[in-house]
C-alpha cells in the first residue's frame, strides 16, 4: 500500500454501533471515536502473496473505516472495520467480498500523486458514483516522520487486524502485517462529493465537516492473511 491519504473525523459512537461486528467493541483515542476516509494505491498485488492477477496488480482504493478491539485469549487485538470500500475493478471487489465478507463496490476511479512547490506532495483520489465524481485531496508539508508515541497518527495507522461481520453469525478476523509508517503532516485537506453511499445521511454529515486530523502515510509492503471466522 502506498500514499495513504487519511482524513479522520470524530464521530458519535451511536452512529457506528450497527456496524460493529459481534465479539468486538469500539476502540477509542483519548475517549474519542473516529472514522477515517482513506485513499491509497495497491501496487504489485498478489493473492496470498504469491499469485498475481493479470491487469489487476496496480489500482486505487478508497474506503471509510473505523476502529475496534477484540479480547483474544492472550492479547487485545486492535483492528479496523470497513463500512465501504471502493475499487476500480469488478474482479477485485468479487474476490474481496468472497474471501473477507467486506463491503466492496467497483466504480470508475483515478488518482494523482505529484510534487507541489518545494518539498511537498499532492495526493488525490477520485471516484464516480452515479453521475457524480467525488474526491479526497491533500497537500503535505515538511518531511515524513514516524508517528509520535501516543499520537493520533500512531492510533490511526497501527491497527493490525481486520474485522467483518460473517453472514452466518460472529465475525471474520484477519491479520494485516506491515512496519510502522512514516507520515507527512498536511497544509490542506478536503473531501468533496457524494457521501451518502458511505452509510447514510448522518455519516455523510460527519464527512462534510472539517476532519479532526489529516495526514499522508508513506505506506509499505503489506501482507493480508486469510480470514478466520470467530463465533
Amino acid at each position: 500500500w502506498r500514499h495513504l491519504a487519511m482524513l479522520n473525523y470524530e464521530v458519535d459512537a451511536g452512529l457506528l454501533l450497527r456496524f460493529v461486528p459481534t465479539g468486538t467493541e469500539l476502540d477509542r483515542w483519548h475517549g474519542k471515536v473516529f472514522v477515517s476516509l482513506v485513499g491509497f494505491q495497491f501496487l504489485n498485488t498478489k493473492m496470498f502473496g504469491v499469485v498475481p492477477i493479470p491487469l489487476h496488480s496496480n489500482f486505487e482504493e478508497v474506503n471509510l473505516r473505523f476502529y475496534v478491539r477484540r479480547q483474544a485469549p492472550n492479547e487485545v487485538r486492535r483492528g479496523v472495520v470497513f463500512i465501504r470500500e471502493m475499487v476500480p475493478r469488478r474482479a477485485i471487489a468479487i474476490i474481496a467480498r468472497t474471501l473477507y465478507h467486506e463491503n466492496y463496490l467497483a466504480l470508475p476511479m483515478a488518482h494523482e500523486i505529484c510534487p507541489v512547490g518545494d518539498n511537498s506532495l499532492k495526493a488525490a483520489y477520485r471516484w464516480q458514483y452515479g453521475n457524480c465524481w467525488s474526491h479526497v485531496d491533500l497537500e503535505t508539508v515538511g518531511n515524513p516522520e514516524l508517528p509520535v508515541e501516543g499520537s493520533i497518527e500512531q492510533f490511526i495507522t497501527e491497527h493490525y487486524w481486520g474485522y467483518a461481520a460473517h453472514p452466518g453469525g460472529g465475525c471474520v478476523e484477519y491479520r494485516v502485517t506491515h512496519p510502522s509508517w512514516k507520515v507527512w503532516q498536511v497544509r490542506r485537506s478536503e473531501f468533496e462529493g457524494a457521501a451518502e453511499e458511505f452509510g447514510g445521511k448522518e455519516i455523510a454529515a460527519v464527512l462534510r465537516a472539517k476532519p479532526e486530523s489529516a495526514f499522508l502515510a508513506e505506506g509499505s509492503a503489506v501482507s493480508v492473511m486469510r480470514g478466520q471466522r470467530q463465533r
Side-chain angles (χ1 to χ4, degrees), residues 83-226:
I83 296 175
R84 173 70 82 186
E85 295 170 88
M86 298 177 294
V87 290
R89 305 284 188 181
R90 189 180 302 273
I92 296 165
I94 292 171
I95 291 170
R97 287 196 298 263
T98 301
L99 293 180
Y100 298 102
H101 300 280
E102 300 283 14
N103 191 15
Y104 269 83
L105 185 64
L107 296 173
M109 300 184 72
H111 75 278
E112 181 182 11
I113 309 293
C114 63
V116 177
D118 208 8
N119 200 32
S120 296
L121 281 177
K122 174 181 178 179
Y125 294 90
R126 301 180 178 87
W127 63 98
Q128 185 180 20
Y129 188 84
N131 294 322
C132 176
W133 277 91
S134 303
H135 73 264
V136 172
D137 194 328
L138 56 75
E139 290 183 12
T140 69
V141 61
N143 295 313
E145 298 180 349
L146 287 173
V148 174
E149 184 73 25
S151 66
I152 189 170
E153 291 86 1
Q154 184 187 55
F155 173 82
I156 295 295
T157 57
E158 296 195 4
H159 280 74
Y160 293 107
W161 297 85
Y163 293 95
H166 192 282
C171 69
V172 175
E173 176 188 73
Y174 55 93
R175 189 172 184 179
V176 180
T177 64
H178 62 77
S180 296
W181 292 329
K182 292 183 178 180
V183 301
W184 285 269
Q185 300 303 314
V186 301
R187 63 164 58 95
R188 181 187 64 81
S189 66
E190 66 178 10
F191 160 65
E192 287 189 0
E196 281 74 13
E197 71 267 24
F198 285 112
K201 293 182 178 180
E202 291 178 310
I203 290 180
V206 171
L207 298 180
R208 292 192 177 106
K210 183 178 179 180
E212 173 99 354
S213 79
F215 56 87
L216 180 68
E218 191 173 40
S220 67
V222 172
S223 294
V224 180
M225 310 305 179
R226 186 149 192 170

